[in-house]
C-alpha cells in the first residue's frame, strides 16, 4: 500500500513559483517538462496534428471553438438547465446546450483573474480569482502579489439573465481561490463555498506560509452581496506532507475538494495528501482520514463512487504541462488511484478508513510533444455500476470501468493529435463531464467538445437528468 512520496528527481519542484492554472509556469515548467520527456511513441500510434480519433463507441458530435475576447486558456465547467458555463483565464462563457449537438454561445464575460474555476447555484455563479488584481472589479489591472491591497478570492455574478450576467460582489481570500466547491446549506437559504488555494510565500502579505487551511465563504442567497469568509479551518495542524523534496509541491491547504452533500462527506486532494472529511457541519469540516501515496507527486482532484464505497484521486504529475503518458513514466505515476472506503459514513460510528486498491492510467501512449496526465472527470450515472469519464489533457477523454477498483480499465476514448507535431505546446482536455446524455469536454485551445456515447453498458445513464450539476459538488443518482 502506498505510504510515502515517490523517489525520483524533478527540476523546479521547490522554486517558489506563483500559483497558476497549471502547477508551474515559465522556466520551471520547461525544466520539469524536459526532465519528463520520454522516447516518442510510435509515430503510427499518434493521430496527425489536430485530427480527431475516437473508439467505436464514442462519437464526436460538436465543437464550439474559443472566441474573442475569451480566446485564452479554457478551463473548468459547470451546468445549469440548458446551459454550460465554461471558465477561462480571461473570464467565462455561457453556452446554450438545449441542442447538445449544436452548442451556441449566449454570452461571454471578460473578467480576468486566473484559471476561472466556476460553480453555479440557482441564479448565482461563483468565480475563482487566483491572480492578484488591483481591485475586485472586472477589468482591474493585474497586481503584484507583494501588494497588500491586491485582490484575490471569489467573484459572484447574477446569471438570472444568461445573456447579461451581472457582477454582484466579491470576497477576498488569503492566497486567492484556485478552485471552489459548492456545499449547499440544509436550510435552502445559504450556500457555503469551500475555497482551495496554495503557493504561500513570506513575500506575499496576503498569502503567508504555512497556509495549511481552506477558506469557507457563507453566501446568504437573498443577499449575496453580504457574503463573507466565516471560517478558515486548518486541515493539517501538523503540517501535512511537507517534508519530502521530491513532491511537486508540499501540502499547503488543498488543490481541490469534492463534496458529497447528501452523505455529508468530502474528499480533498491536497498536493501531498488525500483526505476524507466530515462536513455534517459545513462551517466546521473535520478530517477523519489522511493518506499519502509513494507514486503521487501532486494530489489534484477527487471523486466518489455513487455509493461512496470507492474514492478516486488523481495525480497531476508534471503540473499538467509535461508529457507523462508514455512507457518510460509507466502506469503508476500521473495516474488515478482508487481507494476502498472501509466503514460507513454513519454518525456515531467509527470513522471510515481508506484502503488502496489500484491505479489506472491510459495506455494510449502520447508523443513527447503532448502534455498528458490524469485530470478532471465525473461519474457516468449508471445505476448499480461504476463508470467514469475523465480528461487527460492531450491524452483526450477516457471512459473508465472501475466496477473492479483493483483492475479498472478503459472502455472508450476521444482524442486529438498533438497541438504541434514539432514542439511541446500545452493543450488538450482540461475537464470532461457527463451531463444529461452527453459528455462535455473543455479543451484548453479548441473550446467546447461534445461527445455522444453508444454503449449498452452506459445506456441507462440517459435516464438520469439534472437541473444543475457542479462536478465538485457530487449529486447522488
Amino acid at each position: 500500500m502506498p505510504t510515502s512520496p515517490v523517489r525520483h528527481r524533478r527540476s523546479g519542484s521547490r522554486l517558489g513559483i506563483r500559483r497558476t492554472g497549471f502547477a508551474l509556469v515559465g522556466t520551471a515548467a520547461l525544466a520539469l517538462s524536459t526532465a519528463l520527456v520520454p522516447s516518442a511513441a510510435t509515430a503510427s500510434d499518434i493521430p496527425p496534428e489536430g485530427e480527431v480519433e475516437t473508439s467505436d463507441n464514442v462519437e464526436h458530435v460538436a465543437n464550439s471553438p474559443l472566441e474573442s475576447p475569451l480566446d485564452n486558456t479554457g478551463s473548468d465547467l459547470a451546468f445549469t438547465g440548458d446551459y454550460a458555463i465554461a471558465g477561462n483565464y480571461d473570464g467565462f462563457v455561457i453556452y446554450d446546450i438545449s441542442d447538445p449537438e449544436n452548442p451556441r454561445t449566449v454570452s461571454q464575460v471578460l473578467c480576468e483573474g486566473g484559471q476561472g474555476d466556476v460553480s453555479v447555484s440557482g441564479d448565482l455563479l461563483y468565480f475563482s480569482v487566483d491572480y492578484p488584481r488591483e481591485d475586485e472589479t472586472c477589468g482591474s489591472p493585474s497586481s503584484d502579489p507583494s501588494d497588500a491591497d491586491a485582490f484575490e478570492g471569489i467573484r459572484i455574478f447574477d446569471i438570472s439573465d444568461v445573456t447579461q450576467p451581472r457582477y454582484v460582489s466579491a470576497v477576498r481570500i488569503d492566497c486567492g481561490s484556485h478552485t471552489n466547491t459548492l456545499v449547499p446549506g440544509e436550510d435552502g437559504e445559504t450556500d457555503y463555498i469551500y475555497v482551495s488555494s496554495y503557493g504561500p510565500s513570506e513575500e506575499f502579505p496576503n498569502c503567508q506560509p504555512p497556509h495549511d487551511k481552506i477558506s469557507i465563504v457563507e453566501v446568504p442567497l437573498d443577499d449575496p452581496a453580504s457574503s463573507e469568509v466565516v471560517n478558515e479551518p486548518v486541515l493539517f495542524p501538523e503540517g501535512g506532507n511537507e517534508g519530502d523534496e521530491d513532491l511537486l509541491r508540499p501540502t499547503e491547504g488543498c488543490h481541490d475538494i469534492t463534496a458529497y452533500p447528501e452523505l455529508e462527506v468530502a474528499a480533498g486532494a491536497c498536493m501531498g495528501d488525500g483526505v476524507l472529511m466530515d462536513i455534517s457541519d459545513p462551517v466546521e469540516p473535520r478530517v477523519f482520514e489522511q493518506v499519502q501515496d509513494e507514486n503521487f507527486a501532486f494530489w489534484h482532484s477527487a471523486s466518489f463512487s455513487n455509493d461512496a464505497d470507492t474514492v478516486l484521486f488523481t495525480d497531476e504529475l508534471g503540473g499538467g504541462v509535461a508529457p507523462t503518458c508514455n512507457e518510460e513514466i509507466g502506469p503508476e505515476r500521473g495516474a488515478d488511484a482508487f481507494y476502498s472506503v472501509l466503514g460507513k459514513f454513519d454518525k456515531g460510528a467509527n470513522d471510515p478508513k481508506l484502503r488502496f486498491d489500484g491505479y489506472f492510467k491510459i495506455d494510449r501512449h502520447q508523443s513527447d510533444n503532448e502534455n498528458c496526465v490524469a485530470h478532471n472527470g465525473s461519474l457516468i450515472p449508471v445505476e448499480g455500476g461504476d463508470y467514469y469519464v475523465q480528461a487527460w489533457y492531450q491524452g483526450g477523454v477516457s471512459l473508465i470501468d472501475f466496477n473492479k477498483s483493483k483492475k479498472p480499465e478503459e472502455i472508450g476514448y476521444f482524442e486529438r493529435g498533438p497541438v504541434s507535431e514539432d514542439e511541446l505546446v500545452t493543450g488538450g482536455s482540461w475537464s470532461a463531464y457527463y451531463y444529461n446524455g452527453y459528455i462535455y469536454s473543455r479543451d484548453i485551445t479548441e473550446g467546447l467538445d461534445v461527445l455522444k456515447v453508444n454503449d449498452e453498458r452506459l445506456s441507462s445513464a440517459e435516464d438520469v437528468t439534472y437541473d444543475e450539476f457542479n462536478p465538485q459538488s457530487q449529486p447522488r443518482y
Side-chain angles (χ1 to χ4, degrees), residues 18-21 25 89 113-115 129-133 143 151-152:
R18 186 61 169 142
R19 300 179 304 284
T20 70
V25 291
Y89 271 57
Q115 71 181 38
V129 179
D130 69 337
Y131 283 7
R133 316 301 298 181
S143 182
F151 168 77
E152 295 178 278

Side-chain angles (χ1 to χ4, degrees), residues 186 264-265 277-285 347:
E186 290 186 357
E264 299 182 333
V265 294
M277 292 184 283
D278 175 353
I279 60 170
S280 54
D281 180 349
V283 179
E284 297 284 352
K347 294 178 181 178

Side-chain angles (χ1 to χ4, degrees), residues 57 179 252 270 319 384 397-398 408 455:
N57 58 350
T179 61
E252 304 160 332
C270 305
V397 175
S398 180
D455 191 307

Side-chain angles (χ1 to χ4, degrees), residues 138-219:
C138 294
S140 61
S142 61
S143 182
D144 192 282
S146 63
D147 180 2
D149 294 326
F151 168 77
E152 295 178 278
I154 293 288
R155 289 186 177 125
I156 301 174
F157 293 84
D158 182 328
I159 58 168
S160 54
D161 180 355
V162 294
T163 66
Q164 294 288 333
R166 179 174 61 87
Y167 173 80
V168 175
S169 64
V171 181
R172 290 176 178 265
I173 307 289
D174 286 352
C175 292
S177 173
H178 191 67
T179 61
N180 74 80
T181 299
L182 173 67
V183 180
E186 290 186 357
D187 60 8
E189 299 176 356
T190 307
D191 278 343
Y192 297 96
I193 308 170
Y194 286 11
V195 177
S196 298
S197 53
Y198 61 96
S201 169
E202 296 286 356
E203 299 177 0
F204 305 154
N206 300 324
C207 187
Q208 292 287 297
H211 194 72
D212 289 319
K213 65 182 182 180
I214 61 172
S215 299
I216 300 177
V217 176
E218 183 178 81
V219 182

Side-chain angles (χ1 to χ4, degrees), residues 66-408:
L66 298 176
E67 303 174 60
S68 180
L70 300 188
D71 50 7
N72 200 340
T73 300
S75 59
D76 216 350
L77 294 165
F79 303 86
T80 180
D82 288 333
Y83 301 97
I85 302 167
N88 186 283
Y89 271 57
D90 285 341
F92 63 90
V93 185
I94 299 180
Y95 295 98
D96 181 338
I97 54 171
S98 55
D99 178 0
E101 300 188 16
N102 186 30
R104 181 175 57 87
T105 299
V106 175
S107 58
Q108 298 195 91
V109 174
L110 182 64
C111 196
E112 300 95 330
Q115 71 181 38
D117 203 37
V118 290
S119 292
V120 63
S121 177
D123 290 335
L124 297 179
L125 173 68
Y126 307 127
F127 180 82
S128 288
V129 179
D130 69 337
Y131 283 7
R133 316 301 298 181
E134 286 191 1
D135 60 50
E136 301 173 354
T137 62
C138 294
S140 61
S142 61
S143 182
D144 192 282
S146 63
D147 180 2
D149 294 326
F151 168 77
E152 295 178 278
I154 293 288
R155 289 186 177 125
I156 301 174
F157 293 84
D158 182 328
I159 58 168
S160 54
D161 180 355
V162 294
T163 66
Q164 294 288 333
R166 179 174 61 87
Y167 173 80
V168 175
S169 64
V171 181
R172 290 176 178 265
I173 307 289
D174 286 352
C175 292
S177 173
H178 191 67
T179 61
N180 74 80
T181 299
L182 173 67
V183 180
E186 290 186 357
D187 60 8
E189 299 176 356
T190 307
D191 278 343
Y192 297 96
I193 308 170
Y194 286 11
V195 177
S196 298
S197 53
Y198 61 96
S201 169
E202 296 286 356
E203 299 177 0
F204 305 154
N206 300 324
C207 187
Q208 292 287 297
H211 194 72
D212 289 319
K213 65 182 182 180
I214 61 172
S215 299
I216 300 177
V217 176
E218 183 178 81
V219 182
L221 297 181
D222 61 352
D223 184 19
S226 66
S227 302
E228 61 181 348
V229 175
V230 292
N231 197 12
E232 296 176 311
V234 175
L235 302 184
F236 303 97
E238 298 180 1
N241 189 358
E242 298 181 355
D244 193 301
E245 64 180 9
D246 290 327
L247 288 172
L248 186 61
R249 293 201 72 95
T251 298
E252 304 160 332
C254 290
H255 174 272
D256 207 353
I257 294 170
T258 291
Y260 202 152
E262 184 171 332
L263 297 183
E264 299 182 333
V265 294
C270 305
M271 286 155 272
D273 296 86
V275 299
L276 284 182
M277 292 184 283
D278 175 353
I279 60 170
S280 54
D281 180 349
V283 179
E284 297 284 352
R286 178 178 66 90
V287 173
F288 57 73
E289 175 68 322
Q290 180 178 349
V291 292
Q292 298 174 7
D293 188 315
E294 63 184 0
N295 286 314
F296 264 41
F298 188 86
W299 295 70
H300 178 276
S301 52
S303 297
F304 292 93
S305 63
N306 188 54
D307 292 334
D309 55 7
T310 304
V311 181
L312 179 162
F313 290 101
T314 69
D315 171 29
E316 196 184 41
L317 171 67
V321 298
T324 77
C325 297
N326 53 73
E327 186 174 3
E328 182 174 328
I329 298 298
E332 297 182 348
R333 294 186 290 157
D336 300 327
F338 291 86
Y339 286 79
S340 287
V341 177
L342 306 180
K344 299 294 184 181
F345 296 117
D346 295 329
K347 294 178 181 178
N350 293 328
D351 289 339
K353 302 298 181 183
L354 291 173
R355 181 195 70 200
F356 173 74
D357 283 347
Y359 296 109
F360 170 81
K361 189 173 181 181
I362 60 172
D363 59 6
R364 294 175 285 108
H365 290 159
Q366 305 298 302
S367 77
D368 56 5
N369 288 328
E370 294 178 283
N371 59 302
C372 176
V373 75
H375 216 237
N376 294 348
S378 71
L379 294 183
I380 301 174
V382 175
E383 184 177 1
D386 289 330
Y387 298 93
Y388 196 70
V389 58
Q390 184 175 15
W392 291 78
Y393 289 111
Q394 289 195 66
V397 175
S398 180
L399 308 182
I400 304 165
D401 176 344
F402 68 103
N403 286 284
K404 296 179 180 178
S405 57
K406 293 183 178 180
K407 293 184 178 180

